Amino acid sequence: MARVTRFAPSPTGPLHLGHAYAALVAAARGDRFLLRIEDIDCARSRPEWEAAIFDDLAWLGLAWETPVMRQSDRLPAYQAALAQLQAEGLTYHCTCTRGDIRAALSAPQEGVIGPDGPVYPGTCRDKGHATGAVRMNMGAAMARLGAVAFTETGTRPGLWRYDAQTLCRDVGDVVLARRDIGTSYHLAVVVDDAAQGITEVTRGEDLFGATAIHVVLQGLLGLPTPLYHHHRLIRDAAGKRLAKRDDARALSKYRAEGATPADIRRMVGLTSAGTG
Ligand code: GLU
Ligand code: ZN
C-alpha cells in the first residue's frame, strides 16, 4: 500500500527549523506527500504566511500534490462530523469561561493537565445548555468504544492502548467545536487526515497526548486509524523548543544569510539519506 504522509502547518508565522525538520520527515516517510494548510484560526492566519510556507518548502526541495487542502474550505465537513456526534448524544454544550473552569477545579495546582490544558471538570455535562462550545462526553464515547489503540512508529514505538478510565481521568471532555470557529484542531485534523487518505501521521512529539483524542474520534466517526510517527522537536542552543515567535530561527533568515537546503538538513540533524 502506498504510504501517504502530510505536513500540516498553520500560516500564523514564518516556518522555522522545527517546521523544516517536520516537513522533511513527513516527505521522506511517504510515497505520496500532501500538504494541508491549517488555517481554521482565521484571526491569526494570513495569506502572506501561506505564500511564505510554499516558498520555503519549495526552496527546501520538497514537492507536494495539488490542490493543497485548506481547512478554511472544509467547515461543512467539520460541521457534518460534529452533527453526527451530536445526533448520537456524545456531546454537550459548555458555557464555561477559562475562569469558570479554574474556579471549578478545587485544587488547580493538583489538577490533571491534559492535552488541551487542565482536564475539564464536567461542570456543564448535565446542564442541557443549547449554545456554547461543544464538548465530547468522553465517558459516553468510551462506553461506546470500550478501548482505543494506535500504533506509534516514532519516538515511543509500540501499540498504545487506552481504556475509558484512563481517558476520562487524563483527557476528559475535550472541546470539539469552539464557539468562535465551529470546530477545533482535534475534529478538523481527524476529518482531514481521513479525507486525504493519510496512512501515517507524522508530527512533533508535543502532540503525542492529543493522539488518543484523535483515535477516539476516528472510532466514533467510523474513520480508519492511521499509523502515527511522532518525532523529536528541534530545540535551540539552550534546549528550549522553537516556537512560531522565534523569528530568529526562521528559514527565511538562514536563506537570506546564504544557507543551502543541505545546510538546513545538517542543522536539524538529518543526513542526506536519513529521516531522523
Ligand atoms: N497544525 C499543527 C501545527 O502547526 C500540526 C497538526 C498535526 O500535524 O496534527 O503544529
Ligand atoms: Zn462548561
Side-chain angles (χ1 to χ4, degrees):
M1 192 174 69
R3 295 172 307 159
V4 185
T5 59
R6 50 60 161 191
F7 176 56
S10 298
T12 55
L15 294 191
H16 56 56
L17 286 180
H19 296 106
Y21 178 66
L24 289 165
V25 168
R29 294 188 68 82
D31 302 311
R32 294 175 53 207
F33 171 58
L34 308 182
L35 196 57
R36 182 167 75 230
I37 299 296
E38 301 215 321
D39 60 349
I40 46 173
D41 197 339
C42 299
R44 294 171 59 228
S45 299
R46 299 256 181 284
E48 50 273 33
W49 290 127
E50 184 181 310
I53 288 170
F54 295 148
D55 189 53
D56 279 340
L57 295 179
W59 176 79
L60 274 176
L62 296 175
W64 54 91
E65 294 182 14
T66 54
V68 169
M69 183 177 278
R70 192 177 282 110
Q71 289 192 323
S72 54
D73 295 335
R74 306 258 311 141
L75 297 180
Y78 311 142
Q79 273 154 14
L82 188 67
Q84 182 183 336
L85 301 175
Q86 289 178 302
E88 294 177 18
L90 301 172
T91 65
Y92 59 88
H93 283 103
C94 168
T95 57
C96 297
T97 63
R98 259 178 234 274
D100 293 337
I101 294 172
R102 228 177 295 124
L105 293 165
S106 45
Q109 67 281 14
E110 289 165 25
V112 178
I113 303 299
D116 293 342
V119 170
Y120 180 65
T123 319
C124 295
R125 194 178 295 139
D126 301 311
K127 294 259 175 72
H129 297 308
T131 60
V134 179
R135 288 186 181 273
M136 173 160 68
N137 183 331
M138 184 63 87
M142 292 305 289
R144 159 91 54 96
L145 298 174
V148 294
F150 68 90
T151 298
E152 164 72 12
T153 65
T155 51
R156 295 182 239 183
L159 179 70
W160 288 79
R161 192 172 175 283
Y162 300 85
D163 61 18
Q165 195 191 350
T166 306
L167 290 182
C168 289
R169 184 192 61 212
D170 297 345
V171 176
D173 295 349
V174 294
V175 171
L176 296 182
R178 277 164 44 179
R179 205 187 311 225
D180 54 345
I181 57 177
T183 183
S184 66
Y185 159 67
H186 302 303
L187 185 65
V189 83
V190 162
V191 169
D192 289 346
D193 282 334
Q196 291 190 294
I198 303 301
T199 63
E200 185 177 86
V201 169
T202 68
R203 60 187 179 200
E205 62 186 354
D206 53 324
L207 288 169
F208 190 91
T211 303
I213 301 168
H214 301 170
V215 176
V216 169
L217 285 170
Q218 288 152 7
L220 297 176
L221 294 167
L223 302 174
T225 291
L227 296 171
Y228 283 87
H229 183 94
H230 293 87
H231 56 71
R232 64 186 167 85
L233 299 176
I234 302 299
R235 294 174 188 277
D236 66 15
K240 197 166 70 57
R241 61 174 286 215
L242 300 181
K244 278 268 163 59
R245 58 189 171 279
D246 288 331
D247 289 8
R249 309 273 158 177
L251 280 182
S252 52
K253 190 209 98 181
Y254 293 108
R255 289 175 63 180
E257 289 172 0
T260 65
D263 294 331
I264 301 296
R265 284 176 174 270
R266 266 193 300 276
M267 291 164 72
V268 298
L270 286 171
T271 58
S272 52
T275 61

